Amino acid sequence: MFTSVLMIEKALTSADVEFVTTLHGDEPVSFHVLLQPRGEQADRLLRAIDDIALGELDEAVREGETPEGQEARSVGQQALDVSLQALRAAGSAAEGRLVEDHPLDALKALVAEVDADEVIVLTDPHYVEEFFHRDWASRARHKVGVPVLKLFSHSKA
């Protein structure tokens, strides 16, 4: 069985689930999902710049409405639960946890704990962070010791 650590920031869409579960053809995959709620992972200005770069001006204006703190945690737990159910419904083994602090440290520890074969970082585009190689995938490549695949999530379920 192939073991993937999947790092996400929001619930997986059906297209995301299909994409990650078919990456290895017919080989069975076990997913260990880490989710850090979006309200915890980047400041509002960077998110607004990303929204503007994507032409999503309405989203940029609403960045102040992004849940933070305990509210982000409960939204994150719901997103994690939905994602795990979807991965299991697609025939994959899946377990997961929320990450509140230091996502790359949690990622490195989980890769070692489960003896992962790869890391998949599946997020919305973060152009500012990616340009400066400060996004999760770029930073993880120097930390985890296994291949890191960067994928962009699908917006619509």
Side-chain angles (χ1 to χ4, degrees), residues 34-157:
L34 290 177
L35 184 143
Q36 184 176 34
R38 188 170 183 201
E40 300 286 342
Q41 77 101 23
D43 75 345
R44 289 181 185 158
L45 178 60
L46 289 177
R47 292 192 315 255
I49 290 170
D50 287 337
D51 291 336
I52 291 167
L54 290 169
E56 297 175 355
L57 300 179
D58 292 342
E59 289 296 319
V61 171
R62 287 195 289 269
E63 282 301 338
E65 301 169 10
T66 301
E68 294 183 358
Q70 185 57 35
E71 187 181 346
R73 183 169 172 66
S74 67
V75 169
Q77 187 62 54
Q78 284 179 307
L80 178 62
D81 293 344
V82 165
S83 298
L84 294 174
Q85 284 179 320
L87 289 167
R88 290 175 188 141
S92 295
E95 62 180 54
R97 59 182 92 149
L98 288 181
V99 177
E100 294 186 41
D101 296 313
H102 311 292
L104 292 174
D105 292 340
L107 178 64
K108 182 179 179 179
L110 183 58
V111 166
E113 175 186 327
V114 301
D115 194 26
D117 297 302
E118 70 178 355
V119 168
I120 301 170
V121 177
L122 181 71
T123 65
D124 288 333
H126 296 293
Y127 295 116
V128 174
E129 293 171 339
E130 290 165 16
F131 179 79
F132 291 107
H133 302 284
R134 301 305 302 155
D135 60 298
W136 285 341
S138 296
R139 291 168 44 207
R141 286 185 180 105
H142 302 288
K143 263 191 127 139
V144 297
V146 297
V148 176
L149 178 61
K150 168 68 176 158
L151 301 174
F152 292 120
S153 62
H154 294 78
S155 298
K156 307 283 185 243

